[in-house]
Amino acid sequence: MEAHNNHDEHNDGHIAEAHHPSYGINILVWIGLLSLTAITVSVAGVNLGGLALTVALLIATIKSLFVMNFFMHVKFDNKVVKIFIGICMLVFVIVLILTFFDLTFRF
Amino acid sequence: MRPDIATQVDSTFWMITGTSIVLLLIITVAMLYFLYKYSAKRNPVPEAIEGNTTLEIVWTVIPVILVMIMFFISWAGFRNMRDVPKDAMVVKVTGQMWKWSFEYDNKKKSDTLILPLNKDVKFEIGSVDVNHSFYLPHFRVKEDAIPGRTNYFWIRTNEEGRFYAACAEYCGLNHWNMYAPLVVVPEGEFLVWKNTFPADTTKTTAADSLKKVPAATDTLKTAANDTSKAAGQKTDTARTVKDTSAIKK
Amino acid sequence: MANGTIAAPAAEVDFYHVKGRHKGLLSWLLTTDHKRIGIMYLTVMSVFFLTAMTFGVLMRLEMLSPGETIMSAQTYNSLFTLHGVIMIFLFIIPGIPAVFGNFFLPIQIGAMDVQFPRLNLLSWYLYIIGGALAIFSLFGGGGWVDTGWTFYVPYSVRTTTNVSLSVFAAFVLGFSSILTGLNFITTIHRLRCPGMTFFRMPLFIWSIYATSWIQVLATPVVGITLVLIILERAFGIGVFDPTLGGDPILYQHLFWIYSHPAVYIMILPAMGVVSEIIPTFARKPIFGYVPIAISSLAIALVGYLVWGHHMFSSGISDTSRVIFSLLTFIVALPSGIKVFNWVATLYKGSIEMTAPMLYAMLFLFIFSIGGLTGLVLGALNTDLHVTDTYFVVAHFHYVMFGGMGIIFFASIHYWFPKMFGKMYNEKMAKVAAYIIGIGFNTLYFPMFIMGYMGMPRRYYDYLPEFQVYHLISTVGSWILVSGILIMVANLLSGLRNGSKAPSNPWGGTTLEWTVPSPPPLLNFDQIPTVDHGPYEHPEIAKRKEIKDE
Amino acid sequence: MSDHTNAAAGEVQEIHMHRDDFGSKMGMWLFLFTEILLFGGLFILYASYRFIYPDAFVVAAAELDLFMGGINTVILLTSSLTVVLGIVALQKGHKKLSLSMLWITVAFGLLFLVNKYFEWGAKFHHGIYPKGPALQEMSEGEVMYFGLYYVMTGLHGLHIVVGLIFIGFVMWQIKKDVLTRTNFQRLENAGLYWHLVDIIWIFLFPLFYLIH
Ligand code: HEA
Ligand code: HEA
Ligand code: CUA
Ligand SMILES: [Cu+2]
């Protein structure tokens, strides 16, 4: 996928190297993810009314934050990556909200 | 009396266009003047000017103000458009490849749009197949006909005469020929027409129903005679539907 | 090029003549050199561009007189669809980034290539595949697509023409565009030469940077939307089918979520080129570097917020119409800032009226008209009158052809010496530019008038009251054609017989003018170091020093 | 944005072609954004139709097998873990362990697909598919629900396939020692892709299976 670049450019080093790779933390995260899955499934059985969707999405968001920060190393990554992700999310959320300005008042 | 939609659209248009022309003139004149005054011939030594904060602020703030004025004026016009007068007469408009049909409150159907003079009319616009757009150029307004939905707008008929409705959303082969005549007649005449039903209600052309109106005026008569002829202009029906095979029925 | 160490070739050999692993055509088709890829884009794109222009001229011929003039309605409907699709997806969106971005972006930031050279080649192949698919779709069973370039449902699901294939072509082209954008963003972040801070980058780079972000973040949305059309046609999944409960307006949302930002993909790179040309020929630094740079980012961001203005008449909620209208007025502001700064750059310059500069001035005039009429479209009540009429057609030709198209011509004239190492005939080039300017306005200005009078777009035929305007317009297209033919002929003859170009024929100050024309394979024999802004003309720099002492 | 590039001037003539791990990671992330927005379009559609037909979505969701969905969630989460462990192992120089972790990932990925196959198969069997007999009986909202269900899980499944190919490719490269303890960026990129596919499922699961 990515090609080697052929430029005499020293990069800032591999950032992930700054933090020592370890098995343990990832296994912990995995346990956390499974628990959250269990929670979201059991909570879905409870009648929360209008809150149900919010809770489900909240848990999903927490789960993906775990995956992103640990499995995908974002927590230990360069600031640029975080800003990039922020921009991407911002655009998505804006687009969703603006679409709903139509739907909410149309239906 | 509320302002008329068409007048409002025109005045908003000229307000925006007028401002634009002034801006365009400023830009163009400045550009041409600089090109002349500071050409390499007349001004061999350039001066390094890298920017000016005051100017940047000026030419940000002034357009902001102009733009806000434009926005509010057009918004006012828009509010008027959407706020249908309570006593408006309702006409149901249905778009279909490639003709319009109109239904009045007493279930009378027609493919010519005949309206009483000096009345507020609300159109409820729908479609049975693909998207169309119900466009009344003379009244400066249109709204799309979307299958599964009803859109609306209203107009005030303040002029007697013959106009037309066109389709302004691409809808296939004969999109260009999806006109319907629009005739505004005095209210009395309109009522006679509206309350006369043709013998065969499935064939509800204006011509049919007109036969029953003894006192129809000439405008109304001619209008009725060329219902399918797109505001009386299009006669070449031979090539109208040359190739419908491209369209699924 | 693989991992490892290679010896840099002697600096005098330009990139056309480097002996690589492959010879002949293969040395092009398998190249990963950004300059060759740029030239390949230029070649293919010119063919598509001329094809689509020919369609445009044919359409104008049909509109010459009412009734059938040279073609049937079905043909006309296909022609404007193909004209729009080719112009948008194969010319104006990839246009400047793929050709001039590829060629000059690495050089302007002092790099030897883009970050992912092989990916770059892949983008080109996707472009070719997309283009080929678009052409295949002409010969398939169903007939030429006839939906308009917007592919609105439900019509695009109902018509039996080759919609699926064309839409798939657009999908592939989208991926080409995404990969180019991704490549450029990474290149700009990673490969700037020492000293090239963000605020020392040429403005062209800034505009490409902003553009690339739109390409990456907006294109996928239209990608999936187009896939849904294919699925809808093939399986009837129903999400856009009103008879099954789908909402055709949601299709329009998804389509314009991409396609409005896309209009800024078209114009931002052009604005970048203008910001290069004007300081070069005014012999002074650009006026308001920072505002221009930031306004590019602002356009990219706010450009996401206004797509609803294409749907004012579709029956979206009144609230969202008001919001989208307000945002539309706001998005016009950064463009205004740019225009004012460009004009101010001329002030107290020492202006040389060369062909590229002439095109840039033409752009200022024409683009301003196009942009300002955008305000009429952005205003709620006036848009409901002029939407889907020739007023819109005039607007977008003014901004697209008059904006990006004219600047595409300017770019060719500006960078021609660098790209090909030859000069063209300056006088002829200017004559062509004047004819193009006149032809352009004769062609498109009457459309504003017709549009306001109520002439709907995508009409095969029209009422007699519009005849005179259509006539003028068609005559304008002939003037324009002659201007363009002169321009093309002049460039081609420059390519064959032009005198040799020096490395810096215009006195430009950005890095591409420090390398030979045409540049050597690796652009620089030593990666440059930068210690000042992009537009410091030597005379001015010298005077500054004297003052400082 | 202040990541700066410090090209060392002076390294002349011999142009050493450096690897730029961070650059390639950046490219990968940008690519992931396009994937996010590709699904983003579908999520917008989902949100819209759920908003328009809230009740029908509840009814339709009852047709899905929560157990299957739950199992698949666990499978994907675990496969995400094994990918990370594979990366860590390679970084620590344990090539064998790394490869076995990746094998497990592949196995889980395939298992996920098999489950999906059975899930879809069951729906088809009951006539719930576009234009299928059972679906035609249902209300508009349910048709939308299943239309989206098939498109979104289908596209997600396609991404699993692509992810598997990607992982297979890096496994091959690890085997050949192209990717090593000090050169593992491509493995990490494959991992990033796989995690993204996981994250998308993390949202699909509650949105389709957990509506009551
Ligand atoms: C290059 C492409 C491009 C660009 C740059 C623009 C720029 C703009 N466009 Fe345009 N537009 C299109 C391409 C483009 N457009 C296309 C292709 C369509 C039709 C698609 C279709 O339906 O097929 C379209 C359609 C379109 C519509 C929908 C019309 C309709 O269908 O009803 C609208 C409505 O708001 C609109 C508005 C604008 C505005 C406000 C800008 C602004 O960004 C313009 C900003 C520029 C200026 C304003 C001029 C310069 C500034 C000054 C001189 C300073 C003074 C300024 C102020 C006082 C503000 N455009
Ligand atoms: C970059 C974008 C771009 C450009 C440059 C153009 C250029 C032209 N367009 Fe454009 N046009 C669009 C984008 C563009 N168009 C889009 C997006 C649409 C909307 C489509 C839709 O509704 O879906 C549209 C729609 C559109 C219409 C409206 C159709 C309708 O609604 O009914 C018309 C009508 O006149 C038209 C005409 C023209 C003309 C005459 C040119 C002229 O500028 C062309 C000038 C041509 C030349 C100068 C050719 C020169 C050369 C030769 C003739 C020789 C050829 C030689 C060889 C091949 C060797 N176009
Ligand atoms: Cu009906 Cu166009
Ligand atoms: Cu727009």
Side-chain angles (χ1 to χ4, degrees), chain B residues 80-95:
Chain B
N80 185 19
M81 268 181 179
R82 303 307 289 168
D83 182 14
V84 185
K86 276 194 202 64
D87 56 348
M89 162 188 144
V90 174
V91 177
K92 284 209 179 87
V93 180
T94 308

Side-chain angles (χ1 to χ4, degrees), chain A residues 6-7 9 11 94 101-102, chain C residues 1 113 190 247 253 305 317:
Chain A
N6 42 359
H7 312 292
E9 188 235 8
N11 62 56
I94 288 178
F101 270 115
D102 171 23
Chain C
M1 270 181 239
D113 206 321
R190 302 300 295 163
D247 181 7
H253 274 298
L305 313 180
S317 76

Side-chain angles (χ1 to χ4, degrees), chain D residues 10 12 25 121 132-133 146 177:
Chain D
V12 211
K25 184 195 273 183
F146 282 107
D177 285 325

Side-chain angles (χ1 to χ4, degrees), chain D residues 51-72:
Chain D
F51 178 81
I52 300 173
Y53 303 109
D55 303 329
F57 268 49
V58 176
V59 176
E63 296 281 339
L64 290 198
D65 189 341
L66 177 57
F67 180 71
M68 284 281 234
I71 291 291
N72 261 352

Side-chain angles (χ1 to χ4, degrees), chain C residues 324-359:
Chain C
F324 279 123
S325 170
L326 178 64
L327 291 167
T328 300
F329 279 109
I330 290 171
V331 82
L333 298 169
S335 304
I337 292 175
K338 279 178 197 275
V339 169
F340 294 129
N341 279 298
W342 289 324
V343 174
T345 306
L346 300 174
Y347 177 68
K348 296 213 167 161
S350 175
I351 301 163
E352 211 175 330
M353 208 52 179
T354 55
M357 186 68 168
L358 187 56
Y359 278 112

Side-chain angles (χ1 to χ4, degrees), chain C residues 53 59-60 76 83 149 390 397 401 444 457-458 484:
Chain C
M53 287 216 268
M59 270 149 53
R60 284 306 336 151
Y76 183 82
H83 171 77
W149 80 279
Y390 265 71
H397 282 97
F401 193 0
Y444 296 116
R457 68 189 278 205
R458 295 171 174 170
I484 292 191

